[in-house]
Structures are given as structure tokens and as C-alpha cells.
Amino acid sequence: MKWFIYLYPKSWRRRYGTELIEVIKQTDMSFKTIFDLLLGVIDAWHIELREREIYGFRMSQVLALISLINVLIISKLISLREVILLEQIALIVAMLSFFLAIVVLIVNMFKVGIIPAFSIKTRLAKISVGLMGSYAIFFVTFLVLAN
């Protein structure tokens, strides 16, 4: 039953691992004990993931997906007519992303203040940075298509 400890997050194992091993040694192997351990694993991971700052990671995944879609669209272009339409779409999306990033930044400044708004500690700041990244990607796409 010691292998149950490896299902828990690493930080949890460092803090409570030896205690859990001692408790497992002293208890009998029953369905209720296994069920309680599995519920503990779920609870520990829930707390671990909630405590981590994963919004920036998710935003980077979105930006990577947007970049991949841009690369695929550019690589599949056939005629000049598609390039012109795609060029316009890229510019519109870039400007919309820029506008939304500025709006989110201003809302964040009113919500938490000017100095904290420019840090990456708030969720709105992370969203604003992500939108600026999206703007950069679509603007570069526009420039590539325009040339």
C-alpha cells in the first residue's frame, strides 16, 4: 500500500509522506481505506492545482495554438485572392486583440491600482499580456502576408 503515496503531488509527499506511510502501516487493507486514500489523492491534487498559478501556462498554450493555426493557414495559401482576404482578417484580429488588451489593462488599473496592474500577479494582467501576445502574432502574420 506504500505505492499510494506516489499518487499524491510531490509537495504534499514532502510534507506529509512519512506520516502517511506510518498510518498505512498501522491500518488494515480494506476497501474503505483504499477509497479514503483515493479521495485524499483527488483532494491533494485539487488543492495543488488551485494553488499553482496556471493561468499564464494556459495562456501560453492558447498563443501557441494561435501561432500553429497561423502557420497552417499561411502554408495552405494558394492564390493571391486568399492572401488579400487573409491579410485583412489578420489585421482585424490584431487590432481587436490590441484594443481588448488595452481595455483589460485599464480595468485592471482601476481595480488594483496603477503599480500592481503592471505586474503579472493579477489574473487581468495575465489576460492583458496574453492579448498583447495575440496582437503581436497576428500583426506579424499581417506583415508576412503583406510582403
Side-chain angles (χ1 to χ4, degrees):
M1 294 251 302
K2 284 184 183 180
W3 60 271
F4 268 108
I5 195 163
Y6 294 106
L7 297 175
Y8 286 88
K10 189 175 186 176
S11 61
W12 193 95
R13 286 192 311 253
R14 275 187 264 133
R15 186 169 180 188
Y16 302 109
T18 55
E19 294 174 29
L20 181 63
I21 290 173
E22 293 301 319
V23 170
I24 288 173
K25 287 179 183 177
Q26 295 173 4
T27 58
D28 59 333
M29 177 92 124
S30 67
F31 179 73
K32 184 183 181 316
T33 305
I34 294 172
F35 186 71
D36 284 342
L37 285 171
L38 290 175
L39 285 178
V41 168
I42 292 169
D43 186 47
W45 274 106
H46 176 71
I47 291 169
E48 176 78 15
L49 291 176
R50 189 176 39 169
E51 288 178 354
R52 288 185 188 172
E53 294 185 37
I54 58 176
Y55 298 112
F57 180 69
R58 287 185 180 166
M59 187 58 67
S60 67
Q61 288 177 334
V62 168
L63 290 176
L65 180 65
I66 290 171
S67 301
L68 181 64
I69 290 171
N70 283 332
V71 169
L72 291 174
I73 289 173
I74 292 169
S75 67
K76 297 294 180 183
L77 292 177
I78 297 172
S79 69
L80 185 60
R81 186 175 44 201
E82 290 175 350
V83 171
I84 294 171
L85 176 64
L86 194 59
E87 188 177 297
Q88 293 170 353
I89 291 172
L91 185 61
I92 289 170
V93 172
M95 293 301 119
L96 184 63
S97 296
F98 182 74
F99 175 73
L100 287 175
I102 297 301
V103 168
V104 170
L105 182 65
I106 291 170
V107 168
N108 195 25
M109 284 194 294
F110 281 114
K111 186 176 179 183
V112 297
I114 294 175
I115 301 298
F118 287 102
S119 70
I120 294 292
K121 295 181 180 176
T122 64
R123 185 175 180 190
L124 289 175
K126 292 176 185 175
I127 291 172
S128 181
V129 168
L131 288 168
M132 287 303 283
S134 176
Y135 160 72
I137 290 170
F138 279 103
F139 192 71
V140 167
T141 303
F142 166 73
L143 292 176
V144 167
L145 292 174
N147 289 333

